[in-house]
Amino acid sequence: MTEQEPAPFRAAAAPDGGVDTSLRSPEQRSRTFAGILANTALANITTSYLWFALTFWVYLETRNVIATGVIGGAYMLLIALSSISFGTFVDRYRKLEVMRFAAGFTLMMFVLSGVMFLLTPATWMLDLTQPWFWLFALVILVGAVVENMRNIALSTTVTILIEPDRRANANGLVGMVQGLMFIVTSVFSGLSVGLLGMGWTIVVALALTALAFAHLITLRMPEEVRAAATDAHGGFDLRGALAAVLAISGLFALILFSTFNNFIGGVYMALMDPYGLEMFPVELWGTYFALGATGFVVGGALIGKFGLGSNPLCSMLIAVILMGVLGAVFTLREWAWLYIAGIWLYLVLVPFVEAAEQTVIQQVVPLHRQGRVFGFAMAFESAAAPITAFLIAPIAQVWIIPYARSSEGAAQLAPLLGEGTSRGIALVFLVAGIVMIAAALLAFLTPVYRRVSATYAATETPARAAG
């Protein structure tokens, strides 16, 4: 296999944007993308494995839900605050360089966490009134958050390496990688802490992180001959990110809709585990959820095989409607098979929503601005679900669940939701699903839907012809 290909691919050259796709055939570029995707999968799984293990270890050792809540909330908050900076750096530098920096930084943080764990006495580490535990958690947290820079860069490599008519398929494979992360971490993080302890868990995470970093060093992407000329400035170009989003008619509305969808998803994030733990023993719930999470893999694989059709935005809204239907009905009765099947089907659809948004952005936003647009979207969307979770959890705990368990409430809900201890949570799921359906149906009727669809169709034909 040679790095240079003959003249037929020269028509795709675009050196003014820092990218020359004539250097290799689409098949060669696709193989490079597969290598980057596999590397990102290993890195994401390893990062989540250590992060989940930290949460499990803290709770098991301290039985303090405030500590785990602070850790989880800080993680999502830092992702929201840092995503625009990550997108700015992705726009300013070559994508593989950004990915290598993120991988190296994460490796350095995990090494530091191992040293701290080794040198700090256990009594000091587990005393939440002392700074040692919080420093230890912060080091792991920062390493895990910086790893998300790779995910933004990964979305831009789809634009560079994949032909326009195959980008939706590639984005489906990205969703499949996310599904693998959920499956692995749901099962193995808890087992690792329980069987190996936190110390050896750090050692495993370090070894896998080093392996991913070493493999990333061997990858080459000659198409990006230099970083594209960009108007990104500094390390936190919020003004540039907003300008890039507003430059495309309807794009901001698309991001807001995805954010709203994540708000509704926060309801499920807050209450799915409590519902499952009411139904199953704690020892089995993680395994059952991992089984449900295989839906992520199936959904991503379906997109990888069949794509998203001629209008990804239409596919997104149809998927959201189906998610609303599933969210409304999968707890109508307290049946274990219905709950697990509903989770599985719901997660099959999640990659369709995420891949559709990514495909539209890759098509309508110039490459030199995509990092900031993806970062802007990640900042909004990652903040949405935790906010809803923080709001809905106390409302359900204080008002809805007690009402559903009262004699009067149980009698009123029984014809619709049946009987059981979790009818209050089922009521919340039902209302959230109906809201999701209504929002997607209304979105079909908006001028924004027509504008974004028209913009995508207008840019798709020239891009396909150039490819």
Side-chain angles (χ1 to χ4, degrees), residues 24 30 46 144 181 310 315 328 448:
R24 295 187 301 168
S30 181
T46 303
M181 178 187 71
S310 59
S315 301
V448 169

Side-chain angles (χ1 to χ4, degrees), residues 5 16 49 51 92 109 155 162 227 254 257 261 266 298 315 331 342 405 407 426:
E5 290 292 325
D16 55 318
Y49 161 77
W51 184 244
R92 291 183 60 189
M109 289 293 102
S155 295
I162 303 299
L254 172 63
F257 178 81
N261 190 50
V298 173
S315 301
T331 56
R405 290 181 176 176
S407 300

Side-chain angles (χ1 to χ4, degrees), residues 16 20 66 71 94 120 137 142 150 189 203 224 246 266 307 309 332 367 401 417:
D16 55 318
D20 186 354
I66 295 178
I71 291 171
R94 296 176 68 178
T120 306
V142 171
R150 290 174 55 118
S189 292
V203 171
E224 192 179 23
L246 296 179
L332 285 181
L367 176 63
I401 292 175
L417 299 175

